[in-house]
Amino acid sequence: MSANDRPTGQPTAPHDSAFLKACRREPVPHTPVWFMRQAGRSLPEYRKVREGIAMLDSCMRPELVTEITMQPVRRHGVDAAIYFSDIVVPLKAIGIDLDIKPGVGPVVEQPIRTRADLARLRDLTPEDVWYVTEAIGLLTAELGATPLIGFAGAPFTLASYLVEGGPSRNHEHTKALMYGDPELWADLLDRLADITAGFLKVQIEAGASAVQLFDSWVGALAPADYRRSVMPASRKVFEAVAGYGVPRIHFGVGTGELLGLMGEAGADVVGADWRIPLDEASRRIGPGKAVQGNLDPAVLFAPTEAVRAKTGEVLQAADGLEGHIFNLGHGVLPDTDPDALTRLVEDVHTRTAR
């Protein structure tokens, strides 16, 4: 179903959508569904339009961004679109020499590890990411009542890429800086918080109905380290966009021990990965927050009945929560059958219809 081909009685504005109602912990007609990485390699139409175009280049072409963002909305009937981009786009926009290498991820030519390196992290302006404003204008016109989620990488995860020079399993350089020079670390994260907040503001002012802060690698930290060395920067980001009144979502992988702190940082919705049941996740997050998640992405490779059974477990664990947004516990895996995602959306909508 397209965003503009809705049965009578469906929302006519994003504000009235099931997704935003769930974010606000209001009654919903059904549990809303969207997927992290719903636009991407799992879709043949995505691979077709991206053919021969580098990842970062594709993020800077408004018409292409619009098409890619819309693809899962058209195909799966999800309750929200998420802006197609990459967490390193704002870093590239301010002049950091980096590239996204296929099969590797973001690679930074000159890692940031000294105080002198901080000078390379200047403020982000709307003009730096003009293509974001243009793409969101195109998207909101086409999406109609379907909300658009803006997003950005959280300061810790961005710092990890910058300090390591690329993806890392152990984050040894990152932790060495955090423990060895806490003042430089705090200044680095504070600078990244300003850049991240600027990137989210551009998206909200262009028309995004909600934003998600991805702290992909923060699960590598102990709670005490998160509270002392990371939470102040994440809180600064959330506070910077609080005045817009749009829901703020926070998500990280392997963060079961951090969920309460991540909620404390200022999010309205906290995402949980698949390692913890949603009822326990909600207990740890505390009252006054909606919860997002959390089917294991690998479950989608199982037979349909097995997927239905595991979906039922997620919905049962979420039963009675103030607000629940159905999602995976991490992003859609590249080899996922798109039809499995379409069936999952329909299954959740059918089971939770009120």
Side-chain angles (χ1 to χ4, degrees), residues 218-219 221-223 226-227 231 238 250-287 289-294 329:
V218 79
L221 297 181
Y226 177 87
R227 179 184 288 279
M231 193 164 77
F238 285 124
H250 205 5
F251 174 76
V253 185
T255 53
E257 299 302 318
L258 304 178
L259 288 172
L261 293 171
M262 290 174 72
E264 199 177 317
D268 305 296
V269 183
V270 179
D273 72 13
W274 67 93
R275 296 172 177 88
I276 179 171
L278 286 181
D279 49 356
E280 173 61 15
S282 180
R283 188 192 68 77
R284 295 185 186 186
I285 293 164
K289 311 282 184 183
V291 181
Q292 181 173 279
N294 69 338

Short mmCIF file of all heavy atoms in Angstrom, two decimals, residues 218-219 221-223 226-227 231 238 250-287 289-294 329:
data_model
loop_
_atom_site.label_atom_id
_atom_site.label_comp_id
_atom_site.label_asym_id
_atom_site.label_seq_id
_atom_site.Cartn_x
_atom_site.Cartn_y
_atom_site.Cartn_z
N VAL A 218 28.12 1.36 21.91
CA VAL A 218 28.22 1.73 23.33
C VAL A 218 28.06 0.53 24.26
O VAL A 218 28.43 0.59 25.43
CB VAL A 218 27.21 2.85 23.65
CG1 VAL A 218 25.79 2.27 23.83
CG2 VAL A 218 27.64 3.64 24.87
N GLY A 219 27.55 -0.57 23.74
CA GLY A 219 27.45 -1.79 24.54
C GLY A 219 28.81 -2.33 24.97
O GLY A 219 28.89 -3.24 25.81
N LEU A 221 30.81 -0.74 26.75
CA LEU A 221 31.18 -0.05 27.99
C LEU A 221 30.45 -0.61 29.20
O LEU A 221 29.31 -1.07 29.11
CB LEU A 221 30.85 1.44 27.88
CG LEU A 221 31.59 2.23 26.81
CD1 LEU A 221 31.15 3.68 26.86
CD2 LEU A 221 33.10 2.12 26.98
N ALA A 222 31.09 -0.50 30.35
CA ALA A 222 30.45 -0.79 31.62
C ALA A 222 29.56 0.39 32.02
O ALA A 222 29.82 1.53 31.61
CB ALA A 222 31.51 -1.03 32.70
N PRO A 223 28.50 0.14 32.81
CA PRO A 223 27.60 1.23 33.18
C PRO A 223 28.29 2.43 33.82
O PRO A 223 27.97 3.57 33.50
CB PRO A 223 26.64 0.55 34.15
CG PRO A 223 26.59 -0.88 33.70
CD PRO A 223 27.99 -1.18 33.24
N TYR A 226 29.91 4.44 31.15
CA TYR A 226 28.90 5.13 30.34
C TYR A 226 28.40 6.37 31.08
O TYR A 226 28.32 7.47 30.49
CB TYR A 226 27.73 4.19 30.04
CG TYR A 226 26.61 4.86 29.27
CD1 TYR A 226 26.64 4.92 27.88
CD2 TYR A 226 25.54 5.46 29.93
CE1 TYR A 226 25.63 5.55 27.17
CE2 TYR A 226 24.53 6.10 29.22
CZ TYR A 226 24.57 6.14 27.85
OH TYR A 226 23.58 6.78 27.14
N ARG A 227 28.06 6.21 32.33
CA ARG A 227 27.51 7.34 33.09
C ARG A 227 28.51 8.49 33.17
O ARG A 227 28.15 9.65 32.97
CB ARG A 227 27.14 6.89 34.52
CG ARG A 227 26.57 8.03 35.36
CD ARG A 227 26.30 7.59 36.78
NE ARG A 227 25.14 6.72 36.87
CZ ARG A 227 23.88 7.15 36.89
NH1 ARG A 227 23.60 8.45 36.79
NH2 ARG A 227 22.89 6.29 37.00
N MET A 231 27.38 9.54 28.85
CA MET A 231 26.02 10.05 29.02
C MET A 231 25.93 11.57 28.95
O MET A 231 24.95 12.09 28.38
CB MET A 231 25.41 9.54 30.33
CG MET A 231 23.91 9.78 30.40
SD MET A 231 23.08 8.80 31.67
CE MET A 231 23.53 9.71 33.13
N PHE A 238 20.21 15.17 23.14
CA PHE A 238 18.76 15.09 23.35
C PHE A 238 18.19 16.42 23.83
O PHE A 238 17.11 16.83 23.41
CB PHE A 238 18.42 13.98 24.34
CG PHE A 238 18.53 12.59 23.76
CD1 PHE A 238 19.35 11.63 24.35
CD2 PHE A 238 17.83 12.24 22.63
CE1 PHE A 238 19.44 10.36 23.82
CE2 PHE A 238 17.92 10.97 22.09
CZ PHE A 238 18.73 10.03 22.69
N HIS A 250 16.41 6.27 21.36
CA HIS A 250 17.81 5.94 21.62
C HIS A 250 17.98 4.44 21.45
O HIS A 250 17.18 3.66 21.97
CB HIS A 250 18.17 6.35 23.05
CG HIS A 250 19.62 6.62 23.26
ND1 HIS A 250 20.56 6.61 22.25
CD2 HIS A 250 20.32 6.91 24.39
CE1 HIS A 250 21.76 6.89 22.75
NE2 HIS A 250 21.65 7.06 24.05
N PHE A 251 19.04 4.04 20.74
CA PHE A 251 19.26 2.61 20.51
C PHE A 251 20.75 2.29 20.47
O PHE A 251 21.54 3.04 19.91
CB PHE A 251 18.63 2.15 19.20
CG PHE A 251 18.95 0.71 18.87
CD1 PHE A 251 18.31 -0.32 19.54
CD2 PHE A 251 19.92 0.40 17.93
CE1 PHE A 251 18.64 -1.65 19.26
CE2 PHE A 251 20.25 -0.91 17.65
CZ PHE A 251 19.61 -1.94 18.31
N GLY A 252 21.10 1.18 21.06
CA GLY A 252 22.45 0.64 20.96
C GLY A 252 22.39 -0.87 21.00
O GLY A 252 21.38 -1.46 21.40
N VAL A 253 23.47 -1.51 20.61
CA VAL A 253 23.53 -2.98 20.57
C VAL A 253 24.28 -3.48 21.80
O VAL A 253 25.29 -2.90 22.21
CB VAL A 253 24.27 -3.45 19.29
CG1 VAL A 253 24.22 -4.97 19.19
CG2 VAL A 253 23.64 -2.83 18.06
N GLY A 254 23.78 -4.56 22.40
CA GLY A 254 24.41 -5.13 23.58
C GLY A 254 24.31 -4.22 24.79
O GLY A 254 25.21 -4.20 25.64
N THR A 255 23.21 -3.49 24.89
CA THR A 255 23.08 -2.46 25.93
C THR A 255 22.13 -2.86 27.05
O THR A 255 21.59 -1.98 27.73
CB THR A 255 22.62 -1.14 25.30
OG1 THR A 255 21.43 -1.38 24.53
CG2 THR A 255 23.68 -0.55 24.39
N GLY A 256 21.92 -4.14 27.26
CA GLY A 256 21.00 -4.57 28.32
C GLY A 256 21.33 -3.97 29.67
O GLY A 256 20.43 -3.61 30.44
N GLU A 257 22.63 -3.85 29.98
CA GLU A 257 23.04 -3.30 31.27
C GLU A 257 22.99 -1.77 31.29
O GLU A 257 23.19 -1.16 32.34
CB GLU A 257 24.46 -3.76 31.60
CG GLU A 257 24.61 -5.28 31.73
CD GLU A 257 23.70 -5.86 32.80
OE1 GLU A 257 23.59 -5.24 33.88
OE2 GLU A 257 23.09 -6.91 32.55
N LEU A 258 22.75 -1.15 30.14
CA LEU A 258 22.78 0.32 30.05
C LEU A 258 21.40 0.92 29.83
O LEU A 258 21.28 2.15 29.73
CB LEU A 258 23.69 0.75 28.89
CG LEU A 258 25.14 0.27 28.90
CD1 LEU A 258 25.85 0.78 27.64
CD2 LEU A 258 25.87 0.72 30.14
N LEU A 259 20.37 0.11 29.73
CA LEU A 259 19.07 0.62 29.29
C LEU A 259 18.54 1.73 30.18
O LEU A 259 18.01 2.73 29.69
CB LEU A 259 18.05 -0.53 29.22
CG LEU A 259 18.25 -1.52 28.07
CD1 LEU A 259 17.31 -2.71 28.21
CD2 LEU A 259 18.05 -0.83 26.72
N GLY A 260 18.67 1.58 31.47
CA GLY A 260 18.19 2.62 32.37
C GLY A 260 18.93 3.93 32.17
O GLY A 260 18.33 5.01 32.15
N LEU A 261 20.23 3.85 31.99
CA LEU A 261 21.04 5.04 31.78
C LEU A 261 20.73 5.68 30.43
O LEU A 261 20.71 6.92 30.30
CB LEU A 261 22.53 4.69 31.85
CG LEU A 261 23.03 4.25 33.23
CD1 LEU A 261 24.45 3.72 33.13
CD2 LEU A 261 22.96 5.41 34.23
N MET A 262 20.48 4.86 29.42
CA MET A 262 20.16 5.40 28.10
C MET A 262 18.84 6.16 28.13
O MET A 262 18.69 7.20 27.48
CB MET A 262 20.13 4.29 27.06
CG MET A 262 21.52 3.71 26.77
SD MET A 262 21.50 2.29 25.67
CE MET A 262 21.10 3.09 24.11
N GLY A 263 17.89 5.66 28.90
CA GLY A 263 16.65 6.40 29.09
C GLY A 263 16.87 7.68 29.86
O GLY A 263 16.31 8.73 29.56
N GLU A 264 17.73 7.60 30.87
CA GLU A 264 18.05 8.76 31.70
C GLU A 264 18.72 9.87 30.89
O GLU A 264 18.63 11.05 31.23
CB GLU A 264 18.98 8.31 32.82
CG GLU A 264 19.07 9.22 34.01
CD GLU A 264 19.96 8.65 35.10
OE1 GLU A 264 19.85 7.44 35.37
OE2 GLU A 264 20.76 9.42 35.66
N ALA A 265 19.40 9.48 29.80
CA ALA A 265 20.08 10.47 28.95
C ALA A 265 19.11 11.42 28.27
O ALA A 265 19.51 12.48 27.79
CB ALA A 265 20.94 9.76 27.91
N GLY A 266 17.83 11.04 28.19
CA GLY A 266 16.86 11.99 27.66
C GLY A 266 15.94 11.49 26.57
O GLY A 266 15.16 12.26 26.01
N ALA A 267 16.02 10.19 26.23
CA ALA A 267 15.16 9.67 25.17
C ALA A 267 13.72 9.54 25.64
O ALA A 267 13.44 9.34 26.82
CB ALA A 267 15.68 8.32 24.72
N ASP A 268 12.79 9.63 24.68
CA ASP A 268 11.37 9.35 24.94
C ASP A 268 11.07 7.88 24.69
O ASP A 268 10.12 7.32 25.25
CB ASP A 268 10.49 10.20 24.03
CG ASP A 268 10.81 11.68 24.15
OD1 ASP A 268 10.59 12.23 25.25
OD2 ASP A 268 11.28 12.28 23.17
N VAL A 269 11.86 7.27 23.80
CA VAL A 269 11.71 5.86 23.43
C VAL A 269 13.10 5.23 23.52
O VAL A 269 14.07 5.81 23.03
CB VAL A 269 11.17 5.70 21.99
CG1 VAL A 269 10.95 4.22 21.65
CG2 VAL A 269 9.89 6.50 21.80
N VAL A 270 13.19 4.05 24.12
CA VAL A 270 14.47 3.35 24.20
C VAL A 270 14.34 2.01 23.48
O VAL A 270 13.39 1.26 23.73
CB VAL A 270 14.93 3.13 25.65
CG1 VAL A 270 16.26 2.37 25.69
CG2 VAL A 270 15.08 4.48 26.37
N GLY A 271 15.25 1.75 22.57
CA GLY A 271 15.24 0.49 21.83
C GLY A 271 16.06 -0.56 22.56
O GLY A 271 17.11 -0.27 23.13
N ALA A 272 15.58 -1.79 22.52
CA ALA A 272 16.28 -2.92 23.13
C ALA A 272 16.66 -3.92 22.04
O ALA A 272 15.89 -4.14 21.11
CB ALA A 272 15.40 -3.60 24.18
N ASP A 273 17.84 -4.51 22.15
CA ASP A 273 18.19 -5.55 21.20
C ASP A 273 17.53 -6.86 21.64
O ASP A 273 16.76 -6.90 22.60
CB ASP A 273 19.70 -5.65 20.99
CG ASP A 273 20.45 -6.26 22.18
OD1 ASP A 273 19.81 -6.82 23.09
OD2 ASP A 273 21.69 -6.16 22.20
N TRP A 274 17.83 -7.95 20.92
CA TRP A 274 17.09 -9.20 21.13
C TRP A 274 17.55 -9.99 22.36
O TRP A 274 16.99 -11.03 22.67
CB TRP A 274 17.22 -10.09 19.89
CG TRP A 274 18.62 -10.59 19.68
CD1 TRP A 274 19.15 -11.77 20.13
CD2 TRP A 274 19.67 -9.92 18.99
NE1 TRP A 274 20.47 -11.86 19.75
CE2 TRP A 274 20.83 -10.74 19.05
CE3 TRP A 274 19.78 -8.69 18.31
CZ2 TRP A 274 22.05 -10.39 18.47
CZ3 TRP A 274 21.00 -8.34 17.74
CH2 TRP A 274 22.10 -9.18 17.82
N ARG A 275 18.55 -9.52 23.07
CA ARG A 275 19.13 -10.30 24.16
C ARG A 275 18.33 -10.22 25.45
O ARG A 275 18.64 -10.91 26.41
CB ARG A 275 20.58 -9.83 24.41
CG ARG A 275 21.51 -10.08 23.23
CD ARG A 275 22.87 -9.41 23.48
NE ARG A 275 23.82 -9.68 22.42
CZ ARG A 275 23.95 -8.97 21.32
NH1 ARG A 275 23.15 -7.93 21.11
NH2 ARG A 275 24.86 -9.28 20.40
N ILE A 276 17.33 -9.36 25.49
CA ILE A 276 16.56 -9.16 26.72
C ILE A 276 15.08 -9.05 26.38
O ILE A 276 14.70 -8.36 25.44
CB ILE A 276 17.06 -7.89 27.45
CG1 ILE A 276 16.28 -7.64 28.73
CG2 ILE A 276 17.00 -6.67 26.54
CD1 ILE A 276 16.90 -6.53 29.58
N PRO A 277 14.20 -9.75 27.10
CA PRO A 277 12.76 -9.63 26.83
C PRO A 277 12.28 -8.20 27.07
O PRO A 277 12.81 -7.49 27.93
CB PRO A 277 12.13 -10.60 27.84
CG PRO A 277 13.23 -11.49 28.28
CD PRO A 277 14.49 -10.70 28.19
N LEU A 278 11.28 -7.78 26.32
CA LEU A 278 10.84 -6.39 26.40
C LEU A 278 10.25 -6.02 27.75
O LEU A 278 10.37 -4.86 28.18
CB LEU A 278 9.83 -6.10 25.29
CG LEU A 278 10.40 -5.98 23.88
CD1 LEU A 278 9.31 -5.65 22.89
CD2 LEU A 278 11.50 -4.92 23.81
N ASP A 279 9.61 -6.96 28.44
CA ASP A 279 9.08 -6.61 29.75
C ASP A 279 10.21 -6.30 30.73
O ASP A 279 10.14 -5.35 31.51
CB ASP A 279 8.14 -7.70 30.30
CG ASP A 279 8.73 -9.10 30.23
OD1 ASP A 279 9.85 -9.28 29.69
OD2 ASP A 279 8.07 -10.03 30.71
N GLU A 280 11.29 -7.08 30.66
CA GLU A 280 12.45 -6.80 31.51
C GLU A 280 13.17 -5.53 31.05
O GLU A 280 13.63 -4.73 31.87
CB GLU A 280 13.42 -7.98 31.48
CG GLU A 280 14.75 -7.75 32.20
CD GLU A 280 14.60 -7.45 33.69
OE1 GLU A 280 13.52 -7.70 34.27
OE2 GLU A 280 15.57 -6.95 34.27
N ALA A 281 13.23 -5.32 29.73
CA ALA A 281 13.83 -4.09 29.21
C ALA A 281 13.07 -2.88 29.75
O ALA A 281 13.68 -1.89 30.20
CB ALA A 281 13.83 -4.09 27.69
N SER A 282 11.75 -2.93 29.70
CA SER A 282 10.93 -1.82 30.18
C SER A 282 11.15 -1.58 31.67
O SER A 282 11.21 -0.43 32.12
CB SER A 282 9.46 -2.11 29.90
OG SER A 282 8.64 -1.06 30.35
N ARG A 283 11.27 -2.67 32.44
CA ARG A 283 11.51 -2.52 33.88
C ARG A 283 12.83 -1.79 34.13
O ARG A 283 12.91 -0.92 34.99
CB ARG A 283 11.54 -3.90 34.54
CG ARG A 283 11.59 -3.86 36.06
CD ARG A 283 11.89 -5.21 36.66
NE ARG A 283 13.25 -5.66 36.36
CZ ARG A 283 14.34 -5.21 36.97
NH1 ARG A 283 14.24 -4.28 37.91
NH2 ARG A 283 15.53 -5.67 36.64
N ARG A 284 13.85 -2.14 33.34
CA ARG A 284 15.15 -1.50 33.52
C ARG A 284 15.14 -0.04 33.06
O ARG A 284 15.77 0.82 33.65
CB ARG A 284 16.23 -2.27 32.75
CG ARG A 284 16.47 -3.67 33.28
CD ARG A 284 17.64 -4.33 32.56
NE ARG A 284 17.78 -5.74 32.97
CZ ARG A 284 18.77 -6.53 32.60
NH1 ARG A 284 19.73 -6.06 31.80
NH2 ARG A 284 18.82 -7.78 33.00
N ILE A 285 14.43 0.22 31.97
CA ILE A 285 14.35 1.59 31.44
C ILE A 285 13.62 2.50 32.41
O ILE A 285 14.00 3.66 32.59
CB ILE A 285 13.66 1.59 30.06
CG1 ILE A 285 14.53 0.86 29.04
CG2 ILE A 285 13.36 3.02 29.60
CD1 ILE A 285 13.78 0.47 27.78
N GLY A 286 12.59 1.99 33.03
CA GLY A 286 11.82 2.77 33.99
C GLY A 286 10.58 3.37 33.37
O GLY A 286 10.40 3.36 32.14
N PRO A 287 9.68 3.91 34.20
CA PRO A 287 8.40 4.43 33.70
C PRO A 287 8.58 5.69 32.87
O PRO A 287 9.60 6.38 32.93
CB PRO A 287 7.63 4.73 35.00
CG PRO A 287 8.69 4.97 36.03
CD PRO A 287 9.82 4.07 35.66
N LYS A 289 8.65 5.93 29.55
CA LYS A 289 9.34 5.76 28.27
C LYS A 289 8.65 4.67 27.46
O LYS A 289 8.28 3.63 28.00
CB LYS A 289 10.80 5.33 28.48
CG LYS A 289 11.59 6.15 29.47
CD LYS A 289 12.03 7.47 28.88
CE LYS A 289 12.90 8.23 29.89
NZ LYS A 289 13.30 9.54 29.39
N ALA A 290 8.50 4.89 26.17
CA ALA A 290 8.06 3.82 25.28
C ALA A 290 9.27 2.92 24.98
O ALA A 290 10.42 3.30 25.18
CB ALA A 290 7.50 4.39 23.99
N VAL A 291 8.98 1.70 24.52
CA VAL A 291 10.03 0.71 24.26
C VAL A 291 9.94 0.27 22.81
O VAL A 291 8.84 0.07 22.28
CB VAL A 291 9.89 -0.50 25.21
CG1 VAL A 291 11.00 -1.51 24.96
CG2 VAL A 291 9.92 -0.05 26.66
N GLN A 292 11.09 0.08 22.19
CA GLN A 292 11.14 -0.34 20.79
C GLN A 292 11.92 -1.65 20.66
O GLN A 292 12.97 -1.80 21.25
CB GLN A 292 11.82 0.75 19.96
CG GLN A 292 11.92 0.45 18.47
CD GLN A 292 12.45 1.63 17.70
OE1 GLN A 292 11.71 2.56 17.38
NE2 GLN A 292 13.74 1.62 17.38
N GLY A 293 11.38 -2.57 19.87
CA GLY A 293 12.10 -3.83 19.61
C GLY A 293 11.13 -4.98 19.50
O GLY A 293 9.92 -4.78 19.42
N ASN A 294 11.69 -6.22 19.52
CA ASN A 294 13.10 -6.52 19.53
C ASN A 294 13.34 -7.95 19.02
O ASN A 294 14.07 -8.73 19.63
CB ASN A 294 13.70 -6.33 20.92
CG ASN A 294 13.22 -7.38 21.95
OD1 ASN A 294 12.17 -8.00 21.79
ND2 ASN A 294 14.01 -7.56 22.98
N GLY A 329 15.84 -6.41 16.74
CA GLY A 329 16.79 -6.09 17.79
C GLY A 329 18.07 -5.49 17.26
O GLY A 329 18.97 -5.13 18.02
#
